[in-house]
């Protein structure tokens, strides 16, 4: 094999469903490898399963690749458009004695299946991740390569395409490792060049079982609907089976950095455990890189209708809520819905219902509570609107509260502002409510 040739890899999904995140990981490794080495990426749909392959899945696959920024250089091709090349290969194989017509197909068509004449030998290949692999192909028997002359099956179409498209590297999930010896036999019989093989470790859930729906989201669409960013998903998928090398503890990589750092040598062979927590922490890091306007818009996209109107009608308040309260708590945008469900935004928009017994601190009694609230009112009233922010408000009250007792002073204040057992501190709440609303809520309780 000529290693100086330009690298050519393939994106070969089967359009039989919404692209699984495990497939995206395989495509990503092809992508990073090709882009790092200035190679080409060929996109082709492997739709030999005619019943399960659907046009809508081709469309969604292309959308997903586009949204994740995984571009390709050639294609998309579709195997069902390339039948003539497979027929030609079948003819060649039959002519050369490497294939023959077998028994009648079971589909009732009267067609005869085409079987590969297995030379029954040992196939040896070097896998980038697993090293030398030797497999005795005898047990495969004369395997079927086409349902009929015009209806080729997976191994044949892959091999014909890989040869025609000049594929130098096959990088795919390790579930395909058993396909490799069959495909090598076919490549040899067709006189093609054997590509380099890299079989990527399986992605498993926390229970060590193959990642599936019961573990959580498994398609980009599901992750997107939960408010994960494409940069974060790409970043995290790259770390599933790859790492930048010893001593390099970095976890946050842009696509550009991944391309610079990527090497198939650093792909490991033990199963990669999908950790939603790790993805969350990487997603949060990427969320914090968004500019404020984008962050704000995305956060608003995720609040429910009811709150959306409230937020949109009070943009200044909404901004403060997002950047003072929400941002530090979100790992993904949909986390905002939990905050909503817990009523964490209600008191910024609606006056809370608070009874005396709720806001009295321990056994202070109502008189003391009202007296302290009146003091606070007097201090706050004097603060200029232009200084009405959490830092200034805290400065203005802090020393005084340590004299009179912080709990006695701040518990009633916080509670009449929010009506909640738990909430941000009263300085933040007053900052968000603004001077007028804050004072109104206090005066309502002391007069
Ligand atoms: N069409 C196969 C799949 O989607 C691709 C296998 C390969 O990479 O050769 O799993």
């Amino acid at each position: 094999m000529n290693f100086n040739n330009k690298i050519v890899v393939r994106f070969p999904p089967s359009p039989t469903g919404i692209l699984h995140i495990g497939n995206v990981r395989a495509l990503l490794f092809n992508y990073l490898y090709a882009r790092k080495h200035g190679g080409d990426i060929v996109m082709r749909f492997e739709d030999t399963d005619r019943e399960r392959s659907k046009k809508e899945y081709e469309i969604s696959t292309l959308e997903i690749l586009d949204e994740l920024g995984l571009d390709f250089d050639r294609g998309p091709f579709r195997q069902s458009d390339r039948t003539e090349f497979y027929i030609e290969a079948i003819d060649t194989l039959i002519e050369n004695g490497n294939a023959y017509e077998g028994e009648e197909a079971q589909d009732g068509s009267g067609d005869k299946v085409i079987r590969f004449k297995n030379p029954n030998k040992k196939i040896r290949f070097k896998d980038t991740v697993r090293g030398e692999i030797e497999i005795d192909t005898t047990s495969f028997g004369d395997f079927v390569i086409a349902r009929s002359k015009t209806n080729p099956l997976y191994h044949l179409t892959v091999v014909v395409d890989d040869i025609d498209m000049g594929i130098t590297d096959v990088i795919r999930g390790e579930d395909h490792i058993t396909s490799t010896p069959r495909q090598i036999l076919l490549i040899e019989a067709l006189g093609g060049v054997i590509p380099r093989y890299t079989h990527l470790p399986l992605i498993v859930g926390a229970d060590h079982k193959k990642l599936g729906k019961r573990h959580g989201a498994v398609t980009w669409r599901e992750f997107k609907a939960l408010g994960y960013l494409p940069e974060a998903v790409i970043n995290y998928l790259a770390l599933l089976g790859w790492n930048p090398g010893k001593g390099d503890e970095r976890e946050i990589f842009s696509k550009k950095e991944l391309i610079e750092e990527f090497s198939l040598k650093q792909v490991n062979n033990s199963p990669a455990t999908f950790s939603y927590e790790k993805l969350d922490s990487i997603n949060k890091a990427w969320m914090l890189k968004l500019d404020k306007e984008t962050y704000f818009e995305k956060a608003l996209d995720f609040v429910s209708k009811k709150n959306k109107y409230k937020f949109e009608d009070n943009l200044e308040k909404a901004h403060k809520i997002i950047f003072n309260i929400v941002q530090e708590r979100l790992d993904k945008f949909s986390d905002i819905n939990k905050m909503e469900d817990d009523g964490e935004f209600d008191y910024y928009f609606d006056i809370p219902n608070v009874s005396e017994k709720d806001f009295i601190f321990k056994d202070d009694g109502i008189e003391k509570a009202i007296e302290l609230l009146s003091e606070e009112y007097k201090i706050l009233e004097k603060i200029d609107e232009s200084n009405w922010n959490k830092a200034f408000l805290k400065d203005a009250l802090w020393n005084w509260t340590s004299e009179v007792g912080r709990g006695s002073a701040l518990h009633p204040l916080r509670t009449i502002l929010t009506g909640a057992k738990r909430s941000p501190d009263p300085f933040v709440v007053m900052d968000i409510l603004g001077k007028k609303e804050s004072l109104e809520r206090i005066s309502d309780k002391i007069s």
Side-chain angles (χ1 to χ4, degrees), residues 75-263:
F77 300 102
R78 189 185 289 131
Q79 291 189 324
S80 57
D81 294 336
R82 294 175 44 79
T83 311
E84 56 185 309
F85 302 108
Y86 312 131
I87 295 176
E88 209 178 292
I90 291 170
D91 286 340
T92 307
L93 288 169
I94 293 178
E95 268 165 38
N96 296 341
N98 293 316
Y100 58 91
E101 276 187 331
E103 70 283 5
E104 275 191 15
Q106 284 173 352
D107 58 7
S109 60
D111 287 328
K112 292 202 168 119
V113 303
I114 310 296
R115 287 188 178 271
F116 178 69
K117 184 148 180 29
N118 188 343
N120 295 333
K121 63 177 203 174
K122 287 195 174 113
I123 287 288
R124 210 168 288 133
F125 68 97
K126 187 163 180 290
D127 184 274
T128 318
V129 179
R130 263 146 246 278
E132 294 288 342
I133 296 181
E134 190 184 79
I135 293 178
D136 188 342
T137 64
T138 311
S139 64
F140 304 154
D142 288 352
F143 54 91
V144 177
I145 55 172
R147 283 188 207 91
S148 72
K149 259 191 159 179
T150 53
N151 196 348
L153 287 169
Y154 167 70
H155 291 305
L156 182 72
T157 57
V158 166
V159 160
V160 170
D161 286 356
D162 284 350
I163 295 172
D164 280 3
M165 297 169 185
I167 302 299
T168 59
D169 289 82
V170 169
I171 303 168
R172 59 187 173 194
E174 88 172 2
D175 44 335
H176 285 291
I177 207 159
T178 52
S179 303
T180 303
R182 287 180 179 81
Q183 293 178 4
I184 291 178
L185 286 175
L186 280 165
I187 297 170
E188 285 179 350
L190 288 166
V193 177
I194 317 269
R196 274 170 296 216
Y197 289 97
T198 302
H199 289 95
L200 307 172
L202 206 65
I203 303 174
V204 296
D207 57 0
H208 308 299
K209 302 228 169 78
K210 195 176 167 172
L211 188 74
K213 271 201 170 46
R214 70 211 151 81
H215 294 107
V218 288
T219 67
W220 160 241
R221 294 218 164 144
E222 290 167 332
F223 285 109
K224 186 179 163 191
L226 288 169
Y228 288 96
L229 298 172
E231 295 84 352
V233 169
I234 289 292
N235 185 161
Y236 181 60
L237 290 181
L239 298 174
L240 282 178
W242 172 84
N243 64 72
K246 258 214 162 75
D248 192 337
E249 300 293 318
R250 279 179 301 164
E251 290 198 325
I252 306 303
F253 293 90
S254 65
K255 200 163 78 179
K256 189 164 163 281
E257 289 165 333
L258 288 172
I259 293 169
E260 276 161 23
E261 297 297 326
F262 190 76
S263 152

